[in-house]
Amino acid sequence: MSDLKSKIDLNKLPQHVAVIMDGNGRWAKQKGKLRVFGHRNGVKAVRETTEAAAELGVKYLTLYAFSTENWSRPQTEVNALMSLLIKTVRKELSTLTKNNIRLQAIGDLTKLPKDTYNALMEGIEKTKHHTRMTLVLALNYSAKWEILEASKKLAQAAKENNLQPEDINEATFSNALSTAGMPDPELLIRTSGEQRISNFLLWQIAYAELRFFPIFWPDFRKEHLYEAIVDFQNRERRFGKTSEQLT
Ligand code: IPE
Ligand code: IPE
Ligand code: MG
């Protein structure tokens, strides 16, 4: 396990890694604790993953932290998650700065509670000039919502005669998404054993390699990220071609 890191080819790193951080609740339940205990312990995994990705030279790390569907959880859990977010963003700000990491967020952010929104904006503002890696938090995020928003934006531009329908292509559409300017994730990781996408980055992961871990998110460590990247680098990404065409 310990020399997994040395097996990584740094010239073939995924530029963008996306993670569905899942299993906090079950992790806590297994220990006879409340679900929020799992969320609190998930922060260590966030820190480890961020640090490991930045140290390797990954340029974008997107973490799915709260989906639009997650509002339907018990109000106490939603509240706990929202305040944990404030606390974490504030607490990690110095580490982000020390490590030259820029914070960004995608999702319908204006619908977040005001104090969560403000803490997030402060983190984004204070780290905006950092260049080593961009950490993107997906918050109140839904891929279908994002695709609809992009469609509305393009339709509006067409209505105002700033865009012709025939000019809508992959590039213009990508640019209308909240991930505009970011490379698409080449690697998508999900913990907890669940093997689904749960409304995450549907457009952007069209050709991503998927890696599912049977462990719960609070147990995710640097070694797991290394393992996922080594595995990623051993896969043949054919993009529709034949194996023979690749060599
Ligand atoms: C992931 O863990 C964190 C969020 C979705 C906010 P869960 O809270 O979904 O934990 P499980 O999947 O119920 O165990
Ligand atoms: C997906 O996890 C959302 C986040 C990790 C934030 P969920 O636990 O909400 O997804 P489902 O309900 O298992 O699909
Ligand atoms: Mg879950």
Side-chain angles (χ1 to χ4, degrees):
M1 195 75 171
S2 60
D3 67 337
L4 267 175
K5 194 180 179 184
S6 62
K7 292 207 179 92
I8 296 174
D9 180 349
L10 295 178
N11 297 312
K12 287 185 188 151
L13 280 179
Q15 279 199 80
H16 187 168
V17 177
V19 185
I20 302 175
M21 312 184 287
D22 195 25
N24 293 352
R26 280 166 281 172
W27 184 88
K29 195 174 175 189
Q30 223 177 36
K31 295 185 152 46
K33 308 270 191 188
L34 296 174
R35 293 179 56 85
V36 280
F37 181 71
H39 296 316
R40 266 186 255 124
N41 280 277
V43 177
K44 185 176 163 65
V46 169
R47 207 177 291 132
E48 287 248 338
T49 310
T50 307
E51 232 179 71
E55 282 164 4
L56 286 172
V58 169
K59 290 318 254 179
Y60 291 87
L61 175 67
T62 299
L63 303 178
Y64 202 4
F66 194 88
S67 75
T68 303
E69 290 77 20
N70 288 146
W71 293 114
S72 40
R73 292 190 176 193
Q75 193 58 44
T76 47
E77 180 170 348
V78 170
N79 293 346
L81 279 166
M82 289 301 147
S83 33
L84 183 64
L85 239 144
I86 303 176
K87 228 179 87 187
T88 308
V89 169
R90 293 211 176 116
K91 197 161 158 236
E92 301 301 320
L93 203 55
S94 57
T95 317
L96 292 178
T97 303
K98 194 181 79 204
N99 291 316
N100 194 16
I101 297 168
R102 175 171 70 151
L103 183 68
Q104 297 238 290
I106 55 171
D108 195 357
L109 306 177
T110 55
K111 304 233 168 63
L112 293 170
K114 199 92 211 104
D115 47 355
T116 304
Y117 178 82
N118 289 342
L120 189 66
M121 288 306 134
E122 195 186 327
I124 291 172
E125 178 61 28
K126 286 191 169 152
T127 60
K128 68 178 178 192
H129 298 302
H130 298 164
T131 53
R132 190 181 184 198
M133 184 181 83
T134 303
L135 171 64
V136 185
L137 296 182
L139 283 168
N140 189 18
Y141 178 87
S142 141
K144 285 191 174 179
W145 164 82
E146 182 187 38
I147 290 168
L148 287 173
E149 285 303 301
S151 308
K152 285 186 220 169
K153 236 187 271 175
L154 296 174
Q156 188 63 32
K159 190 176 161 193
E160 289 165 5
N161 246 317
N162 294 320
L163 176 80
Q164 296 310 310
E166 57 271 24
D167 293 334
I168 298 176
N169 52 38
E170 279 197 26
T172 48
F173 201 87
S174 289
N175 256 316
L177 295 169
S178 55
T179 48
M182 300 177 198
D184 286 342
E186 296 107 311
L187 172 62
L188 172 71
I189 296 169
R190 181 171 188 150
T191 55
S192 90
E194 239 58 86
Q195 301 190 6
R196 56 175 166 261
I197 302 301
S198 301
N199 210 355
F200 192 39
L201 302 174
L202 293 179
W203 168 279
Q204 298 89 335
I205 61 164
Y207 245 116
E209 297 297 327
L210 312 181
R211 175 63 202 253
F212 300 100
F213 282 91
I215 60 166
F216 296 135
W217 177 249
D219 290 328
F220 196 84
R221 292 293 173 268
K222 288 185 179 186
E223 293 297 320
H224 296 107
L225 181 71
Y226 301 152
E227 193 184 323
I229 293 178
V230 170
D231 174 19
F232 167 83
Q233 293 183 333
N234 285 321
R235 296 191 193 182
E236 186 174 66
R237 304 191 76 207
R238 289 189 290 277
F239 298 101
K241 295 182 180 173
T242 69
S243 212
E244 292 70 26
Q245 285 176 295
L246 297 176
T247 47

